Amino acid sequence: MFSDIVQHLVNGLVMGAVVALPALGLTLIFSVLGFINFSIAAQMTVGAYAGWLVNSYLHWPLVPVLVVAFATAGAVGIVGDRLALVPMRRKISAHTPLMVAIVSIALNLALENALRFGFGSDLNSFDMPVARDVQFAGIRVGPQQMHNLGIALAIAVALAAFFTVTRVGKAMRAVADNPDLARLKGIDPARLSNLATFIGMGLAGIGGALLAIDTSVDPSTGSRLLLIIFSASVLGGLTSLIGAVLGALLIGVVSEVALLAISPVYQSATAFVAILLVLLVRPSGLFAGASGVRK
């Protein structure tokens, strides 16, 4: 029984680490632009397909695959933002976070169906070396799972350094903390919107590629995790980057450990329960105030 609990804890940490990347992207975009961009789910799928194409047809290894996934999802994210979301944000009468979020849902569906039209609905697997699981004290962990966990944590640390050390990162934190005060300091939040969108969608693309490498890629790869990603951001306070990571790890662990008591069919219900409990007990999120919190 104890080994089963530890096994689910490990599985939850691995799952949470992958979810943390798109959750970071969702939180970053909300912090800088002030709305929830639900098209991040489709950008996960875009990154997964981009990585799959260069891996399957050009036989590129893991790191270049992730770079391509990041760049492609980031670029498509900016194009989608310019074509669908920027015009809505410019309409004074319709520019509300709710309206822009609804348009992002429509954009997400359009991208998902465009991918389905282009690649079909079949499952596609990466051409990566298959290695045997590592066993320790009855706990089994796949090499790709360990890679995913290490890569996700390394990217989270690099992102933290970017926001702490670089001038652009500090400017983005200033906009996230207080956009009005940032304007008084000469920072134009609009100029940072493209960069925030590119980084946020790029992170989602890497998350999608890592998930697809471990499993497979199809047009619904990102949509299946959208609720969990949103739950992780809500748990983290929606504007806290550190909170997004902690929220994703918590959601991952809770949803996996819950399998000890419930059927896998109901696993996604844990995300609904998490959102409900957090909004009832602490509407601002469990980790609001950790960093980068918009007042």
Side-chain angles (χ1 to χ4, degrees), residues 23-267:
L24 274 170
L26 187 70
T27 300
L28 174 63
I29 292 173
F30 180 81
S31 298
V32 176
L33 280 77
F35 71 95
I36 299 173
N37 193 335
F38 289 103
S39 69
I40 202 163
Q43 301 302 343
M44 281 187 70
T45 312
V46 168
Y49 270 111
W52 171 72
L53 285 174
V54 297
N55 172 256
S56 298
Y57 292 97
L58 303 178
H59 306 292
W60 287 11
L62 178 61
V63 174
V65 162
L66 297 182
V67 172
V68 170
F70 177 84
T72 305
V76 174
I78 288 182
V79 172
D81 185 68
R82 287 295 185 90
L83 293 179
L85 302 179
V86 169
M88 177 60 70
R89 297 204 296 272
R90 285 176 178 170
K91 291 183 178 179
I92 304 300
S93 59
H95 180 193
T96 64
L98 177 60
M99 290 298 296
V100 181
I102 291 174
V103 174
S104 74
I105 294 175
L107 177 61
N108 185 75
L109 293 174
L111 285 171
E112 183 177 310
N113 282 284
L115 291 170
R116 183 170 284 106
F117 179 79
F119 297 99
S121 299
D122 296 336
L123 301 177
N124 300 284
S125 299
F126 279 67
D127 184 18
M128 293 286 184
V130 178
R132 300 179 64 178
D133 290 352
V134 177
Q135 295 191 42
F136 178 77
I139 310 301
R140 300 169 63 93
V141 183
Q144 187 57 51
Q145 289 180 313
M146 291 190 291
H147 289 164
N148 288 353
L149 181 60
I151 291 170
L153 293 178
I155 291 174
V157 171
L159 196 63
F162 170 76
F163 286 111
T164 304
V165 177
T166 68
R167 188 171 181 176
V168 176
K170 291 178 180 177
M172 295 178 75
R173 286 179 56 199
V175 173
D177 286 337
N178 192 321
D180 294 330
L181 183 59
R183 289 190 185 92
L184 292 177
K185 293 291 185 180
I187 300 172
D188 184 3
R191 289 188 176 181
L192 296 176
S193 62
N194 281 342
L195 182 59
T197 300
F198 182 79
I199 294 176
M201 296 304 184
L203 290 173
I206 293 179
L210 289 176
L211 177 67
I213 291 171
D214 193 33
T215 56
S216 60
V217 56
D218 69 272
S220 300
T221 296
S223 295
R224 284 193 290 270
L225 288 180
L226 179 58
L227 180 60
I228 295 178
I229 295 167
F230 182 61
S231 301
S233 296
V234 170
L235 280 175
L238 269 178
T239 51
S240 168
L241 297 176
I242 296 175
V245 176
L246 296 177
L249 294 177
L250 185 58
I251 281 286
V253 169
V254 169
S255 62
E256 285 292 328
V257 173
L259 294 178
L260 292 170
I262 64 175
S263 167
V265 177
Y266 304 108
Q267 185 180 15

